[in-house]
Amino acid sequence: MKQHPLYVSGERGYHTYRIPALLVTKQGTLLAFCEGRRNNRQDHGDIDLLVKRSDDGGETWSTQDVVYEESGEITIGNPCPVLDHDSGRIWLPFCRDNDRVLITNSDDDGRNWSPPEDITTSVKLDGWTWYATGPGVGIQLQEGAHKGRLVIPCDHRSPETYENGSHALISDDGGQTWRVGGVIQPGSNECQVVELADGELLMNMRMQGGYRGLRGIARSADGSASWGDLNQGTNLSWPKCQASLMRYPSDTNEDILLFSNP
């Protein structure tokens, strides 16, 4: 097995690279996003949003490009890209200082990106403070009444109770407008979502509450507009870290799920 180090700490002007996200475009290009942390490994500071491209399945990679940055101690991060399979457009929501929610898009396989639009007022509920898109990847629904819907997993914090929760951003018009779906609380945090063979959605979550070292699980029957009870994934361990979850395509339409975390 070949391994290709994409982002190496200390190289190209950044102290640390963190918070990766990998997307395959409609043309088969690999896009590897991450945060470039200029001065230290801390979660807040002078942090830029970066991308590299591969046109040969990961054998070789482009030099890194800056998708978006701001001068000074401004945190730009938490990339969570999603592909619209119908148009081929790539939507990339991300956060500014874990407070504002911005989104950009690319129509040329990640070579160029539109000026970011601030969508905070549409996707952040009153009373939420901390906010994070992803990190990881979003999905486009392939089955049922909500086929074509774009779904972005996110998390937030409510200051009154200091309670963490997970939620999703939804778009039913190809990414032109976004709104908040159902909220999953209490104790849930960074999350990933998959669509199962029957069209039901499954959200897998890092937990901040007393969940005995296990991941959180919730299901949605309406395309993430609402979620059922928050339960424990009894065979999935829980370091306090983001994890990865994807559904593997199967000719037999089975629910083969690929899960990865430390």
Side-chain angles (χ1 to χ4, degrees), residues 14-52:
Y14 291 95
H15 179 280
T16 299
Y17 298 97
R18 289 200 63 197
I19 321 302
L22 184 67
L23 183 79
V24 183
T25 73
K26 192 171 184 177
Q27 301 300 319
T29 302
L30 296 179
L31 300 180
F33 302 91
C34 78
E35 294 180 6
R37 302 184 175 188
R38 285 198 176 274
N39 301 318
N40 53 56
R41 64 175 61 89
Q42 302 303 312
D43 289 339
H44 294 277
D46 188 352
I47 298 177
D48 304 334
L49 184 54
L50 310 177
V51 68
K52 285 188 176 184

Side-chain angles (χ1 to χ4, degrees), residues 74-86:
I74 301 296
T75 299
I76 303 297
N78 286 102
C80 194
V82 65
L83 170 66
D84 185 330
H85 293 266
D86 300 321

Side-chain angles (χ1 to χ4, degrees), residues 155-172:
D155 65 274
H156 61 273
R157 184 177 298 148
S158 301
E160 293 84 0
T161 59
Y162 204 70
E163 199 171 72
N164 292 89
S166 301
H167 67 279
L169 304 187
I170 297 172
S171 176
D172 286 318

Side-chain angles (χ1 to χ4, degrees), residues 98-230:
N98 288 108
D99 176 45
R100 309 298 296 179
V101 184
L102 283 70
I103 192 164
T104 179
N105 68 77
S106 174
D107 287 320
D108 60 2
D109 250 25
R111 294 179 182 86
N112 297 283
W113 297 89
S114 67
E117 177 187 359
D118 190 320
I119 59 172
T120 308
T121 56
S122 298
V123 301
K124 187 176 182 181
L125 300 187
D126 292 341
W128 287 1
T129 51
W130 167 276
Y131 197 111
T133 46
V137 292
I139 61 173
Q140 184 178 37
L141 305 192
Q142 303 298 313
E143 305 291 340
H146 305 291
K147 182 178 179 180
R149 172 176 288 177
L150 303 177
V151 179
I152 302 291
C154 301
D155 65 274
H156 61 273
R157 184 177 298 148
S158 301
E160 293 84 0
T161 59
Y162 204 70
E163 199 171 72
N164 292 89
S166 301
H167 67 279
L169 304 187
I170 297 172
S171 176
D172 286 318
D173 56 9
Q176 297 303 313
T177 61
W178 295 85
R179 67 186 189 277
V180 178
V183 174
I184 307 169
Q185 284 182 310
S188 54
N189 195 253
E190 295 173 330
C191 52
Q192 282 287 266
V193 63
V194 293
E195 181 181 21
L196 304 178
D198 62 3
E200 188 176 54
L201 301 190
L202 184 147
M203 188 80 87
N204 182 286
M205 294 158 281
R206 163 185 172 175
M207 297 301 299
Q208 296 298 103
Y211 275 74
R212 303 198 308 272
L214 298 171
R215 301 280 297 181
I217 299 290
R219 295 172 181 264
S220 173
D222 57 10
S224 79
S226 64
W227 294 90
D229 292 340
L230 174 57

Side-chain angles (χ1 to χ4, degrees), residues 55-77:
D55 297 319
D56 56 11
E59 290 292 329
T60 60
W61 293 83
S62 69
T63 56
Q64 65 196 38
D65 292 324
V66 176
V67 177
Y68 186 68
E69 65 177 335
E70 293 188 24
S71 61
E73 296 291 300
I74 301 296
T75 299
I76 303 297

